[in-house]
Amino acid sequence: MPAHAAVAVRWHALILHLQALSFWTIAICTPPPTWAAAVNRTIDDQFGDSVTRQLPSYQPDGKWAQGSQCSGCALNSTNIALSEVFSRTWHDSICHPGEPDRVISVVFRGTAAHVFNLIANDFGGVSTPSNLTFSLDNELVGAFLHEPVPNRNSVMFQQAVYVNESLDDENHSFEIRMNGPTPSLILFDFIVYTSIDSDESSTSPSNSSNTSNAPSQCPFPHLPSQPSDSTRSAQPSAPIGTIVGGSSS
Ligand SMILES: *[C@@H]1O[C@H](CO)[C@@H](O)[C@H](O)[C@H]1NC(C)=O
Ligand SMILES: *[C@@H]1O[C@H](CO)[C@@H](O)[C@H](O)[C@H]1NC(C)=O
Ligand SMILES: *[C@@H]1O[C@H](CO)[C@@H](O)[C@H](O)[C@H]1NC(C)=O
Ligand SMILES: *[C@@H]1O[C@H](CO)[C@@H](O)[C@H](O)[C@H]1NC(C)=O
Ligand SMILES: *[C@@H]1O[C@H](CO)[C@@H](O)[C@H](O)[C@H]1NC(C)=O
Ligand SMILES: *[C@@H]1O[C@H](CO)[C@@H](O)[C@H](O)[C@H]1NC(C)=O
Ligand SMILES: *[C@@H]1O[C@H](CO)[C@@H](O)[C@H](O)[C@H]1NC(C)=O
């Protein structure tokens, strides 16, 4: 073998070795990703938040009924299939003109919210139009109006009456309000909100290595972290944090 060929082979081996070394150095020294997953939580009308257990508040007192068990309500388990209703419960109120506003308030931290109600059509003498407004952090953000279809005594289940998928990942106060110049009915079932769970102890698949104090042992400086804003706006279920192994691209 000519000498220069042997040198070339050795250089080649050395470069491969360095590449492998730097790969492992990066793999070991990169801070552990913070695993963040978008998960849905529910706020049930009766049982409250599936995680925080916080209950919705209903104003004014005495003007609300648990619809599933309401012997005086035109719509109750006699004519509504409980199996179609989330957790088999809903809150019922009718607001007549001049009466105090009916208000449901909840608080949650999340990036999206979906409100689901039962919507009723024509049940004879019952007032079933539904005229609602929605406020987030004291700002009016939406409205919902349903006029019953005449002569159709049907109930529609799990109807999204308000959806907002562009919330900041912060605490929000949210309000559903009913009032207006005509009688209005609400049959509130539940809210789904999307929480960004960033919980290293429960969701990281490589939980065993606590490397938050490892940097001082790394021979090379850290790669710059990915800006978290750009990863956050990517797939909601993707891990937020530095992605290891970019050298293959
Ligand atoms: C949360 O629930 C809403 C409404 O059902 C759905 O559109 C959304 O895809 C869900 N998000 C997640 C992360 O499951
Ligand atoms: C439902 O309400 C009606 C009156 O509107 C009543 O006769 C019936 O007993 C109620 N059913 C239940 C399960 O409370
Ligand atoms: C969602 O909420 C934000 C305020 O947090 C508001 O600016 C935006 O208009 C809302 N979007 C919808 C579709 O209601
Ligand atoms: C959000 O609310 C919860 C519960 O009230 C509180 O513990 C937390 O500190 C709040 N977070 C922010 C960012 O305000
Ligand atoms: C719905 O309620 C709003 C006030 O919240 C009112 O301005 C509007 O006229 C009502 N719509 C109907 C059809 O009653
Ligand atoms: C993650 O590590 C913590 C602390 O070392 C430990 O208490 C916890 O049980 C671990 N969780 C899993 C899922 O391994
Ligand atoms: C990880 O290490 C840091 C710094 O030593 C420590 O404060 C923290 O409690 C550790 N976490 C776990 C889950 O062991």
Side-chain angles (χ1 to χ4, degrees):
M1 189 190 298
H4 63 265
V7 168
V9 165
R10 248 182 251 138
W11 268 110
H12 189 65
L14 180 61
I15 287 165
L16 282 178
H17 183 70
L18 281 173
Q19 279 177 345
L21 178 66
S22 66
F23 171 80
W24 284 112
T25 306
I26 290 165
I28 291 163
C29 297
T30 302
T34 298
W35 292 87
V39 295
N40 273 348
R41 299 176 174 181
T42 53
I43 303 175
D44 181 57
D45 73 292
Q46 183 69 26
F47 302 109
D49 191 299
S50 55
V51 174
T52 70
R53 301 290 160 207
Q54 197 149 1
L55 297 171
S57 96
Y58 297 93
Q59 302 295 326
D61 286 348
K63 294 291 186 183
W64 293 87
Q66 174 46 248
S68 59
Q69 302 167 353
C70 178
S71 58
C73 294
L75 296 171
N76 58 25
S77 60
T78 299
N79 45 18
I80 288 185
L82 294 185
S83 58
E84 302 287 330
V85 183
F86 184 77
S87 86
R88 307 166 75 88
T89 60
W90 69 91
H91 267 65
D92 173 316
S93 190
I94 292 183
C95 187
H96 294 280
E99 289 185 356
D101 293 4
R102 305 297 194 263
V103 184
I104 303 172
S105 314
V106 299
V107 293
F108 65 87
R109 178 177 178 169
T111 56
H114 303 242
V115 180
F116 295 95
N117 285 4
L118 286 70
I119 298 296
N121 279 313
D122 188 358
F123 282 81
V126 193
S127 301
T128 56
S130 197
N131 183 358
L132 313 173
T133 56
F134 306 93
S135 302
L136 261 162
D137 307 320
N138 299 314
E139 181 199 349
L140 186 65
V141 287
F144 174 82
L145 181 65
H146 172 77
E147 296 287 5
V149 179
N151 303 317
R152 187 182 299 170
N153 67 341
S154 56
V155 173
M156 293 172 286
F157 298 99
Q158 307 206 2
Q159 300 292 301
V161 295
Y162 178 70
V163 174
N164 192 326
E165 296 185 300
S166 56
L167 302 177
D168 292 333
D169 183 17
E170 288 170 357
N171 284 343
H172 297 287
S173 61
F174 181 66
E175 189 184 274
I176 305 171
R177 184 175 289 267
M178 181 168 73
N179 56 20
T182 55
S184 179
L185 169 72
I186 186 168
L187 305 169
F188 166 60
D189 192 358
F190 67 111
I191 292 170
V192 172
Y193 69 95
T194 305
S195 168
I196 305 299
D197 261 3
S198 126
D199 184 350
E200 289 158 79
S201 66
S202 63
T203 53
S204 166
S206 55
N207 182 43
S208 55
S209 62
N210 180 359
T211 48
S212 61
N213 54 1
S216 60
Q217 290 156 28
C218 289
F220 298 123
H222 285 146
L223 293 179
S225 317
Q226 306 273 339
S228 61
D229 281 345
S230 64
T231 48
R232 177 171 301 180
S233 62
Q235 275 301 308
S237 56
I240 288 176
T242 307
I243 306 299
V244 174
S247 61
S248 64
S249 62

